Amino acid sequence: MCSELERAGFGIRILAAIVDSIIIVLPIGMMIYLSTGEISINWTQGLAFNLTYLFYLTFLPVYWNGYVIGKKIMNIRIVKLDGTDLSLSDMIMREVIGRVLLGYATFGVTTVISGLMVLFRHDKRAIHDLLAGTFVENEF
C-alpha cells in the first residue's frame, strides 16, 4: 500500500475532473453550436450525456491503467489497494454504485461527504474508493 504522500488530494482530483469536463463538453458544445447556432449547455443535463460520461468514467480506467484523460494530464490515476489491475466490476462499484447511485439516493449528501473525506482523511479515500477498494495515486 502506498504512503499518504502518494495519495492525490482534493484539489488535484477536482482539477482533473474539470479537465475531463472541458475535454468532453467543449467539442460536443461546439458541434451543437455549429449545427443549431445556439449556445447552450442544457444538453449536459440529459440522460444521454450523463450515461455517456458515466460510461467514460467507468470503462476507460479499466483499459487505460487507471486513467481518464483528466487524470492522465494531472498525473494521477485510480489504483487498487492490493496492487492488482482494475476490473470492470471495481469501476462499476466505484463509479456507478459509489458515486452515481449513492449520490442520487442521498440527494448529493454522499458526494459532499466524499469531498470532505478526501480533504480530511489521511488516506484521501472517498466513499466510492472505500466501496471499490481503490484510491487515487499522485504520480509526482
Side-chain angles (χ1 to χ4, degrees):
M1 187 151 64
C2 293
S3 72
E4 64 186 69
L5 294 176
E6 296 169 339
R7 304 291 174 106
F10 183 78
I12 198 162
R13 288 171 76 158
I14 289 293
L15 285 174
I18 291 169
V19 168
D20 275 327
S21 295
I22 291 169
I23 287 171
I24 291 173
V25 170
L26 198 59
I28 296 171
M30 291 178 78
M31 287 187 291
I32 290 172
Y33 172 72
L34 292 173
S35 66
T36 67
E38 295 179 18
I39 297 175
S40 173
I41 59 167
N42 290 339
W43 55 271
T44 62
Q45 304 305 307
L47 182 61
F49 173 77
N50 285 305
L51 287 176
T52 302
Y53 195 57
L54 181 61
F55 182 85
Y56 164 78
L57 292 173
T58 303
F59 284 87
L60 189 57
V62 174
Y63 299 105
W64 202 19
N65 199 27
Y67 294 106
V68 289
I69 297 168
K71 282 182 172 57
K72 183 71 171 172
I73 289 170
M74 300 307 296
N75 289 317
I76 62 176
R77 69 185 182 116
I78 304 162
V79 295
K80 294 275 295 191
L81 282 173
D82 63 9
T84 61
D85 292 338
L86 288 171
S87 68
L88 184 55
S89 62
D90 295 327
M91 291 309 296
I92 288 171
M93 180 61 78
R94 186 179 199 275
E95 298 298 329
V96 176
I97 295 169
R99 200 180 284 231
V100 174
L101 292 180
L102 277 178
Y104 282 124
T106 64
F107 302 101
V109 172
T110 56
T111 304
V112 173
I113 291 170
S114 285
L116 293 171
M117 289 170 69
V118 173
L119 273 170
F120 296 112
R121 282 179 60 109
H122 290 292
D123 65 0
K124 307 289 187 207
R125 294 174 69 208
I127 292 170
H128 53 273
D129 289 311
L130 295 173
L131 286 172
T134 60
F135 68 95
V136 180
E137 176 183 53
N138 191 340
E139 297 185 315
F140 284 113

